[in-house]
């Protein structure tokens, strides 16, 4: 059994969403970091070994789809979860085909 808390990165350009998600994950015992966009998240993923990354799709600079695709291509990747209000079946199919969690 893992004695250390799971380390999660929450990626969203909306501060309120990041705060609420962080609070909920921390309440469950997770250690949380946050990022405002895909660029910041990618940098943090290089520096940290996250167990999971929860990302929005629509963000400035680098979107969540691009981030998710990069993370899914890593040999030792975190669990990747996408949350979004965007209804785009093409993007959903693409991420499912690539192995999104």
């Amino acid at each position: 059994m893992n004695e250390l808390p799971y380390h999660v990165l929450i990626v969203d350009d909306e501060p309120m969403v990041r705060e609420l998600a962080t609070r909920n994950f921390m309440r469950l015992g997770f250690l949380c970091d946050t990022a405002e966009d895909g660029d910041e998240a990618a940098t943090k993923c290089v520096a940290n070994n996250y167990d999971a990354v929860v990302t929005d799709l629509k963000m400035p600079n680098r979107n969540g789809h691009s981030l998710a695709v990069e993370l899914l291509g890593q040999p030792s990747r975190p669990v990747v979860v996408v949350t979004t209000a965007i209804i785009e079946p093409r993007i959903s199919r693409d991420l499912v085909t690539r192995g999104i969690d």
Side-chain angles (χ1 to χ4, degrees):
M1 179 176 223
N2 187 2
E3 296 295 324
L4 299 174
Y6 290 108
H7 197 184
V8 177
L9 177 63
I10 298 164
V11 188
D12 201 297
D13 59 321
E14 296 183 39
M16 180 79 72
V17 173
R18 286 193 312 271
E19 182 181 331
L20 289 172
T22 298
R23 269 197 229 157
N24 284 314
F25 275 100
M26 289 178 71
R27 190 173 305 141
L28 295 170
F30 290 84
L31 177 62
C32 297
D33 290 339
T34 62
E36 294 182 16
D37 60 39
D39 285 339
E40 183 182 359
T43 299
K44 287 187 174 188
C45 286
V46 169
N48 297 285
N49 186 22
Y50 292 107
D51 297 298
V53 175
V54 179
T55 184
D56 186 20
L57 281 182
K58 188 175 179 182
M59 298 179 289
N61 301 320
R62 182 174 180 187
N63 64 48
H65 182 270
S66 172
L67 174 65
V69 168
E70 179 181 321
L71 294 174
L72 291 170
Q74 295 177 349
S76 178
R77 70 175 182 85
V79 171
V80 181
V81 179
V82 174
T83 61
T84 188
I86 297 173
I87 300 173
E88 179 56 56
R90 180 181 51 83
I91 293 173
S92 297
R93 280 191 304 274
D94 179 66
L95 289 172
V96 168
T97 300
R98 291 175 188 266
I100 198 79
D101 298 298

